Amino acid sequence: MIVHLRINEYKELETFICPVTHTPPEFPEKAMEIPHATKKRLGLDDERSWIITTEVNRFIWPGPDLRPVPGGGFAYGPLPAAMTRVLIAQVKANAQDRSLLVVGRTEYVAK
C-alpha cells in the first residue's frame, strides 16, 4: 500500500509502499488486517491478509519492481479513507520509535 511519494535529487518519483502478506504478524499492533469487504472490493483473494507497518519498500515509479495486477494497471484500488489514516499514523509512529525499516527495491545509479 502506497504510504509516501517524493521527488528525489534525480527528479525521479520515489514510492514508499508497505508490504502486504498472508502471514500473521508477529506483533499484531504493528500491522493492520485488511477487512474481508475491502479485499473483495479490491479483487484480492479470500485469505486473511495484513499490511505490515514496520517496513516500507522504496522504489522508483515506474520501475522494474512493478508487476501488473489482473485486469491491467498497477494498482488494485484505494483503501477506505479511515483505514488509510490509521495506516499512515502507524507508519509515522514506527518511524518515530525507529522500528520502521526502509528497504530499497530499485538500484540507484548516479546520473
Side-chain angles (χ1 to χ4, degrees):
M1 303 297 162
I2 296 174
V3 294
H4 184 68
L5 300 169
R6 75 173 187 174
I7 302 296
N8 68 16
E9 64 272 20
Y10 304 112
K11 307 287 189 246
E12 298 166 321
L13 181 61
E14 282 186 325
T15 306
F16 296 80
I17 296 183
C18 286
V20 176
T21 183
H22 289 300
T23 304
E26 183 177 355
F27 302 103
E29 69 279 5
K30 298 280 190 175
M32 294 182 65
E33 186 167 4
I34 303 173
H36 178 74
T38 299
K39 289 192 68 174
K40 185 173 182 174
R41 180 179 55 77
L42 296 174
L44 301 175
D45 62 35
D46 289 332
E47 290 184 56
R48 292 176 75 185
S49 295
W50 290 265
I51 301 169
I52 305 302
T53 63
T54 54
E55 179 180 322
V56 291
N57 296 312
R58 181 190 73 210
F59 62 91
I60 302 302
W61 185 291
D65 297 305
L66 297 173
R67 304 288 184 272
V69 297
F74 294 95
Y76 286 96
L79 294 176
M83 188 176 177
T84 299
R85 285 190 293 275
V86 172
L87 172 66
I88 300 281
Q90 281 191 20
V91 170
K92 284 181 178 181
N94 293 333
Q96 288 177 339
D97 74 11
R98 299 189 185 271
S99 64
L100 181 68
L101 175 65
V102 178
V103 179
R105 298 289 184 192
T106 301
E107 292 287 328
Y108 287 91
V109 178
K111 294 181 178 181

